[in-house]
Amino acid sequence: MSIGDFPELQAACLSKQARAVWAKHDRDTEGWLPLWRHMADSGLVAGLLWDEWLPGQVRRLIATALPGGMDDARRLAVWLAAVHDIGKAAPAFACQVEALAVAMRDEGLAMPGEKRMPDRRLGPHGLAGQLLLQEWLTEHHGWARRATAQLAVVVGGHHGVPPSHSDISELRRHPALLRTPGAEDAWRAVQDELLDAAALACGVGDRLADWRDVQLPQPVQVLLTALVIVADWIASNPDLFPYFPDGLAGQERRIESAWRALDLPGPWTAVEPVGAPADLFAARFDLPPGARLRPVQEEAVRLARAMPAPGLMVIEAPMGEGKTEAALAAAEVFAARSGAGGCFVALPTMATGNAMFPRLLRWLDHLPDEHAGTGAHSVFLAHSKAALNEQYAGLMRGPVADIGRDGGGSEWHHRADTPAASAELVAHHWLRGRKKGMLSSFAVGTIDQLLFAGLKSRHLALRHLAVAGKVVVIDEAHAYDTYMNAYLDRVLSWLGAYRVPVVILSATLPAARRRELAAAYAGLADADPHAAEYAPIAEARGYPLITTVVRGAEPAISCPTASGRGTEVTLVRLSDDLDRLADLLADELAGGGCALVVRNTVDRAHAAAARLRESLPDTQVRIAHARFLDLDRADNDARLLADFGPPATVAAMKGERPERCVVVATQVAEQSLDVDFDLMVTDLAPIDLMLQRMGRLHRHERGEGQLGRPARLRAARCYVTGVDDWNGRPPMPVRGSRRVYQTYPLLRSLAVLDPYLTDLTETGAAGVPPVRLPDAISPLVQDAYGSEPVGPDEWHTETEKARRAYRHHRADQADRAQAFLLNGSGRDGSALVGWVDAGVGDVDDSRRGRAQVRDSKDTVEVLVVQRRADGALVTVPWLTEGRGGIELPTETAPPPRSARVVASCGLRLPWQFERSSVLDRAIAELEANYFPAWQTKESHWLAGELVLVLDSDCHTRLAGFQLDYSRSDGLKVIADD
């Protein structure tokens, strides 16, 4: 079977009427492409995509739904791509270009002019094609109309949104949009002729009878739709497939030239690792000679090999146990067994994504591949500021493709003189942009990119194809709230239906949440998440813990031994008084040392840092939070690692640790930063976050028995503050913490920690045990997130009141999440009609897009520049590497390098600007800083962005607030009195 015969068949055998039907038209050149040619191009591309690009994991899933297996699956995919635009052989479409419509009328295909068809919007060509294909299957091949929908909806949805039932009903009430009255026979003959020719060329004519009773699962329909979309987009690019009506060029030469120019990297073909896990880790992660695996790492590989099929693996282990490396090793085993063509690592934030990206690249550099040397692997950094990442930018080759509504609006042009990258990893020119980037084989990005797969939105099928062919790794799984978890659970149910291997990582996962994740992947989330076979998952109390789930099999639980690393942390109550904090740190750091003070809000961090600088003149006081410019925040993270990272990192980057230093940080210190402090002071937080913070205390061995630390700080101590009155019943967390986390989780955290807390004057008091990490992690988390009462009896009245408020809050989150939440995968044979009805339209990784899958208030991001005293507009002066103080023209577009520096100075306005009236006022004032020359194509880095202009002292006013920015403290916001 070969679609390659299709063009010759068309040119030689099709009627003049069929050859006159057009598909593409260029208004500038008046060039056009006949429908038969575009059908052939699309089918050929689909065949190449199937053979050379689509991961085996996806092909196998489609093949399992068809009686002829893989051969049937390829035939079906190629045929659907070939017929996807059959709806263009209808008057509602053909009337749009009068000169081409005249040529069709001359061949007997009568149609009114475009202006005489005011209702033609009811018959878009995708929907028209679905109805025409359904008619052809019923009238010519004996299909029941209901059975035709599961195939025809692929045609109907190839522009990103499957039609709704009302769309279909409305078009059926307007048959003149499909065939002009009085010329119905002529139109029907052409439509049938093109469909018959496609069936013959694609080799499906003798298979349609066997497919009549097939019940295609919805996941298969989604993947076929996505494949057709990709094939259509490629075949619609006139630089690859030039427009001409006569078809003189041979089809074989045409497709070979296009495919060679596209140079699309093939999928990863994983080689299953053999031998001892220690050998695998040594080969992939550059372990030093003699290094021993952590038991969790060894067990993850053993279980991946022992599972009856690749599925879900949930790894719960302490901070610093190498969970990421365990996940990548398991992913390699899973990919080799499942046919996954890549890997996606999802993390909570852009910063954690940026930190993970070089780790992924190092892993990829060590991976074997069955097809090594035959081409590059495509990689993608999946967040809105990826282009500003230096490592990712260095992998880019070729310009970005920007696909328009019909797939033909691409601005990509192949440059024949561009040499292929010598490296194996490239950010491929075609696999960039908000709709296609995740189709790259390997990706690191924010969790939003995964959650978007559960959001009813345009081109959702592409997002599903992007993850359906990969192994998915989800890090920091405890970091998501009820709203986000609603999307995560729904996405997991689809990933389970796609048989996608998933590895979930967490140091601190509540047992009930563990069961919810497992049940979602197993497809029980909408049925019986409390099924008996999943009860042990919620009851397991071992730690570390690895849970495995394969659809159709009972889940399994493994408890690998701990690595033996451990820390005993003494917890001490500390009043929420800045003078008392300053006195404490002066005493504790008298002999030197490095302390971390974690505050739950930026305002509290600013206040603490200011007071400590006054009281500790001989101590370096630094601050770290999210209200820094992007470049400043990245530099802050690098300095933290250079000063407080693992001994080997510190030695490699600068060679010594500060003698005496206090870092005042917000939650940015909790995740994915491998930093280590001698002493900690932290605001009360939910228990999982408290434990994450404690994981930054004595994280690394500094000399035998911690003798490398100052004598006073060789025993780990964590002071707990952020409570209004420790004598309260219960002690009430400060207002800012309650606003961030809700009162109930904070009180439950305090209740389970209460037996470990001593007063400042009683440190080391007899009978008060330290918190032993990691042994205490699971018991504390399970108790805090369990349903049993905890804490003194006199706390229960207030705790119960907080519980009711928290349940209401979570119910509200869950209800709001349902608004655009995708349905489950449905029953076999149920067509995707109405799949994304009432959706959000297009979605991307903008702030507004992320707000759709996160329970966050809308705010805006600004690009920060400075107005010098002489009136010149410049980049802020302290930026390193020649980026500071660059003069910026306003009458012309800034040079690309200057514009990129400005784009790297993004800053999100904080919570004070969330209220709609304040936000509207702020946007209006920011729009006054409008430089028309910055909104042109020549300034793509800056076009559409809001610019915040600071004065020469780095101050400004906005919407009734005073804004002050400094390199040391970031943004401060002061309200008018």
Side-chain angles (χ1 to χ4, degrees), residues 752-772:
V752 299
L753 291 175
D754 188 60
Y756 301 94
L757 283 163
T758 66
D759 290 327
L760 189 59
T761 58
E762 300 172 351
T763 303
V768 180
V771 175
R772 291 182 171 86

Side-chain angles (χ1 to χ4, degrees), residues 486-561:
Y487 283 94
L488 179 55
D489 290 353
R490 185 55 49 82
V491 172
L492 280 174
S493 72
W494 278 88
L495 293 179
Y498 289 125
R499 301 301 192 265
V500 169
V502 178
V503 185
I504 296 178
L505 307 178
S506 179
T508 53
L509 196 61
R513 182 66 191 135
R514 181 194 310 136
R515 180 185 60 197
E516 290 170 354
L517 293 169
Y521 184 84
L524 301 175
D526 294 325
D528 183 11
H530 304 288
E533 62 267 32
Y534 282 77
I537 294 179
E539 296 165 1
R541 289 295 186 269
Y543 192 76
L545 189 71
I546 302 181
T547 306
T548 57
V549 176
V550 175
R551 279 202 169 194
E554 287 195 10
I557 298 170
S558 176
C559 299
T561 57

Side-chain angles (χ1 to χ4, degrees), residues 481-491 513 814 817-818 821:
D481 60 16
T482 301
Y483 189 95
M484 297 174 72
N485 282 336
Y487 283 94
L488 179 55
D489 290 353
R490 185 55 49 82
V491 172
R513 182 66 191 135
Q818 295 296 319
L821 185 64

Side-chain angles (χ1 to χ4, degrees), residues 153-172:
V153 73
V154 174
V155 171
H158 81 266
H159 279 286
V161 179
S164 67
H165 291 283
S166 61
D167 293 335
I168 296 170
S169 298
E170 194 67 26
L171 180 53
R172 283 191 171 130

